Structure formats: structure tokens, C-alpha cells
Amino acid sequence: MVRFISKPIITSQTIGERFIKTRLASGLSLPAIARQIGIKENYLAAIEAGQYNELPGDIYALEFVKAYARALRLDE
């Protein structure tokens, strides 16, 4: 009998890096996503850069990340 060992997937990719990679692979621009989800482009750029202190607050940061993930069809 073959036994499989489960190992966690370790990645150094940040959320922002994943968003950028997915957005570019989908052929979407940052302004297009901003218009689609109604969040300012500079906030989305801050998320991609991992500069969450540029967002208006913790609650907004969380909701902006969720909305961006949904727009890119990623798990929230």
C-alpha cells in the first residue's frame, strides 16, 4: 500500500505579487479593475505593493483585498 505524506506548500509570494501575476495573466489593467470594483486605483496599487498603511483603515483594507480577489476570481 502506498502512503502519501501531506506537506504544507511554502511560498514566498505575497498577496500583492499574486494579484499582479493573476491580473497580468488575465490581460487586465489596474485602472480597469479599479473601475470594475469601484476602488481607487492608488489603493489597489498600495495592496499590490504591500503598503497597507496607505489604505484608509483596517476594515477598508480587508474589504478592498477581498473585493480585489473576487474580481480576479481568486479565493478571498
Side-chain angles (χ1 to χ4, degrees):
M1 180 171 172
V2 177
R3 293 185 182 208
F4 294 95
I5 299 173
S6 174
K7 293 184 180 180
I9 298 173
I10 299 172
T11 181
S12 61
Q13 190 176 48
T14 66
I15 292 170
E17 290 169 340
R18 184 164 184 202
F19 283 179
I20 292 168
K21 183 179 177 183
T22 303
R23 178 175 57 77
L24 294 176
S26 300
L28 298 168
S29 68
L30 200 56
I33 293 286
R35 281 190 305 274
Q36 177 185 340
I37 62 177
I39 296 174
K40 292 181 181 182
E41 185 180 340
N42 62 319
Y43 290 153
L44 298 181
I47 291 169
E48 288 185 349
Q51 298 172 334
Y52 300 103
N53 59 324
E54 298 294 321
L55 301 175
D58 292 344
I59 298 296
Y60 287 102
L62 179 60
E63 292 306 315
F64 289 174
V65 168
K66 285 181 179 182
Y68 196 0
R70 280 192 302 269
L72 295 174
R73 295 191 169 106
L74 296 172
D75 288 335
E76 295 176 26

